[in-house]
Amino acid sequence: TPGDSTYIILIGLNIEISFMFAIAGVVFVKGLPADKNLKIFGLPNRWVLAVGWAAFCVFVEVLLNAVDALTWDYAWWSTKFPILIFLFGYLHFYVVTFLVFDMKTMRNKLITVGAIYAVDLVAILLFGVILGWI
């Protein structure tokens, strides 16, 4: 029941988010050009693809929102202002995904991903368990 310390509501967790972040990162990395120095329209391919995939994901969210399959509760995180969803919802995810993919050693990849998990764990403990915000 809500209020029970063992019950944590994960705000924003739905099938779209689960698939978008569990599968899309892997799928989009598999589509990266082998040559990380390749240019697309004269720009670094990793940045062009990160921007493109982030825009695609926002487009999917807007479509899902239009048919009430995905709802947003804040005016600043909605179809009225999708730039925040683009920048903070997806772009950084793809930029970091591509950076980790291009790292030379498995050790560096594991340290980076481990650091991300550590920040997530601290945030869940702080905002969920201690403050009860989620």
Side-chain angles (χ1 to χ4, degrees), residues 44-68:
N45 72 73
R46 298 317 199 231
W47 281 99
V48 171
L49 293 172
V51 167
W53 287 126
F56 170 76
C57 292
V58 171
F59 176 71
V60 168
E61 284 206 11
V62 168
L63 289 179
L64 290 170
N65 181 259
V67 297
D68 290 327

Side-chain angles (χ1 to χ4, degrees), residues 12-129:
L13 184 61
N14 57 36
I15 194 71
E16 179 267 341
I17 294 297
S18 298
F19 279 124
M20 197 67 87
F21 287 103
I23 296 172
V26 174
V27 170
F28 298 157
V29 160
K30 291 289 189 179
L32 287 175
D35 179 5
K36 68 180 182 179
N37 297 313
L38 179 73
K39 303 284 186 186
I40 298 176
F41 305 120
L43 301 168
N45 72 73
R46 298 317 199 231
W47 281 99
V48 171
L49 293 172
V51 167
W53 287 126
F56 170 76
C57 292
V58 171
F59 176 71
V60 168
E61 284 206 11
V62 168
L63 289 179
L64 290 170
N65 181 259
V67 297
D68 290 327
L70 175 67
T71 59
W72 292 308
D73 296 320
Y74 304 105
W76 48 266
W77 192 270
S78 69
T79 55
K80 295 175 185 151
F81 202 57
I83 191 70
L84 289 179
I85 301 168
F86 173 80
L87 290 173
F88 299 109
Y90 291 102
L91 183 62
H92 76 279
F93 172 73
Y94 291 115
V95 168
V96 172
T97 300
F98 298 165
L99 288 172
V100 170
F101 177 77
D102 287 334
M103 287 180 177
K104 297 204 184 300
T105 67
M106 183 58 72
R107 181 179 185 277
N108 287 345
K109 292 178 183 190
L110 292 172
I111 288 170
T112 303
V113 173
I116 292 168
Y117 277 114
V119 168
D120 289 346
L121 179 60
V122 168
I124 288 170
L125 291 173
L126 175 64
F127 297 113
V129 177

